[in-house]
């Protein structure tokens, strides 16, 4: 939720695909679609012959702050009219069809769309009605077919979920966030110098207490301790805690 009157301050950024809902049935679903689109940086929404007409107040309530997408939604009577100004149209449908078109996953489709939009082409993504999906006549207006590779035993998605998958893949096609990172908050990954300082402290006290008294095994035991702390990314804060642990152990139990 945005908590702001009029919803989030959403505007179109760059040349992004148009989401086209063909004969959508429920206002709540249209609102949820707008919410999903906003998460993936999509802005342009078109409706083809919505069952209950347009606008519908329930859609704004379901949009959870993506109001501006709904404010700018365009309505058309036919798919042909809705795609007239576009260069390429992608159809999304889970069921096999007797058609001959390039078949893509959502990720593959998003990559194709990026390449096309980078060349200045206008792209549309067609989503069918909630109960029946797209008809063969709708496919006539499309160039590519997108099918999500989900568990074949259960491939049931609602309309907003289907849109969310495409919005996510569109966003991720240029997202540069590392796939894996360590959240360190206010500390940082320990440098080799900080780690060696702690290890010298630890080894000194282990020598003092006699833990490393076996001179034959001592080098291997020290290497094992180094490997233990170097295996992960120990933070500076964690090393300070360990310094404190070693210091307290040296003092012995409180009297």
């Amino acid at each position: 939720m945005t908590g702001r009157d009029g919803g989030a301050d959403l505007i179109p950024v760059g040349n992004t695909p148009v989401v086209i809902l063909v004969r959508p049935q429920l206002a709540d679903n249209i609102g949820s679609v707008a919410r999903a689109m906003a998460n993936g940086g999509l802005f342009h929404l078109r409706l083809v012959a919505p069952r209950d007409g347009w606008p519908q107040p329930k859609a704004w309530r379901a949009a959870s702050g993506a109001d501006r997408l709904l404010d700018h939604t365009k309505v058309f009577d036919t798919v042909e009219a809705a795609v007239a100004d576009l260069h390429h149209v992608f159809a999304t449908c889970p069921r096999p069809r007797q058609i001959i078109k390039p078949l893509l996953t959502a990720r593959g489709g998003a990559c194709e769309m990026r390449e096309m939009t980078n060349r200045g082409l206008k792209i549309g993504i067609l989503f069918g009605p909630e109960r029946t999906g797209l008809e063969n006549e709708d496919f006539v207006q499309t160039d590519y077919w997108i099918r999500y590779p989900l568990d074949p035993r259960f491939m049931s998605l609602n309309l907003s979920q289907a849109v969310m998958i495409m919005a996510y893949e569109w966003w991720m096609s240029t997202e540069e966030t590392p796939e894996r990172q360590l959240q360190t908050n206010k500390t940082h990954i320990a440098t080799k110098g900080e780690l060696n300082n702690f290890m010298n402290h630890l080894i000194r006290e282990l020598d003092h207490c006699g833990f490393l008294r076996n001179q034959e095994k001592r080098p291997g035991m020290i290497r094992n301790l180094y490997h233990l702390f170097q295996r992960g990314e120990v933070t500076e804060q964690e090393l300070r805690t360990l310094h404190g642990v070693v210091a307290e152990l040296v003092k012995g139990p409180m009297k």
Side-chain angles (χ1 to χ4, degrees):
M1 297 294 288
T2 65
R4 295 190 293 270
D5 292 338
D9 187 18
L10 300 170
I11 58 173
V13 179
N15 181 15
T16 59
V18 176
V19 171
I20 305 169
L21 307 184
V22 180
R23 300 179 294 278
Q25 297 170 339
L26 299 174
D28 303 84
N29 288 345
I30 297 173
S32 296
V33 163
R35 182 179 183 179
M37 290 172 58
N39 277 281
L42 301 177
F43 185 88
H44 305 289
L45 177 61
R46 298 180 183 181
L47 308 178
V48 176
R51 185 189 66 181
D52 299 327
W54 188 259
Q56 302 175 48
K58 282 187 176 180
W60 274 259
R61 291 198 290 272
S64 192
D67 296 8
R68 297 192 182 182
L69 275 70
L70 298 177
D71 294 340
H72 291 82
T73 295
K74 298 179 180 179
V75 181
F76 299 84
D77 293 328
T78 65
V79 172
E80 183 178 359
V83 304
D85 65 329
L86 305 178
H87 297 100
H88 290 291
V89 179
F90 292 72
T92 61
C93 187
R95 294 190 297 275
R97 300 270 180 172
Q98 298 301 317
I99 57 174
I100 300 175
K101 291 184 187 295
L103 177 61
L104 304 165
T105 64
R107 186 162 301 172
C111 290
E112 293 276 354
M113 292 176 202
R114 281 288 180 186
E115 188 276 331
M116 293 173 181
T117 55
N118 287 342
R119 291 191 284 121
L121 301 181
K122 295 183 67 176
I123 306 303
I125 316 172
L126 229 59
F127 295 87
E130 291 90 327
R131 293 185 61 186
T132 61
L134 295 170
E135 302 294 338
N136 285 338
E137 291 73 17
D138 302 322
F139 272 86
V140 171
Q141 300 295 328
T142 66
D143 309 291
Y144 301 86
W145 177 20
I146 292 177
R147 191 167 187 262
Y148 305 157
L150 303 173
D151 189 332
R153 297 169 300 173
F154 194 82
M155 298 180 67
S156 175
L157 296 174
N158 65 35
L159 183 56
S160 62
Q161 288 172 329
V163 173
M164 184 71 242
I165 290 175
M166 277 311 312
Y168 173 79
E169 292 295 353
W170 165 260
W171 183 263
M172 291 301 294
S173 63
T174 57
E175 174 58 44
E176 296 180 354
T177 300
E179 292 186 2
R180 182 184 185 276
Q181 57 184 322
L182 179 64
Q183 184 65 44
T184 58
N185 296 312
K186 295 181 180 180
T187 185
H188 61 265
I189 304 299
T191 65
K192 290 295 185 183
E194 290 168 334
L195 180 58
N196 287 333
N197 182 45
F198 166 72
M199 291 302 299
N200 290 335
H201 180 195
L202 177 62
I203 292 167
R204 183 170 63 250
E205 298 302 339
L206 291 176
D207 278 330
H208 181 73
C209 73
F211 182 78
L212 298 175
R213 60 184 173 274
N214 188 321
Q215 293 302 305
E216 183 178 348
K217 295 183 178 179
R218 184 177 185 277
M221 295 170 72
I222 291 175
R223 284 196 300 271
N224 288 340
L225 288 170
Y226 266 101
H227 291 322
L228 171 63
F229 288 104
Q230 290 177 333
R231 188 177 303 144
E233 294 179 334
V234 180
T235 68
E236 180 269 341
Q237 175 62 59
E238 291 167 336
L239 287 183
R240 279 195 280 131
T241 300
L242 289 171
H243 274 295
V245 169
V246 174
E248 288 301 312
L249 289 174
V250 169
K251 290 180 182 178
M254 296 179 63
K255 302 290 184 167

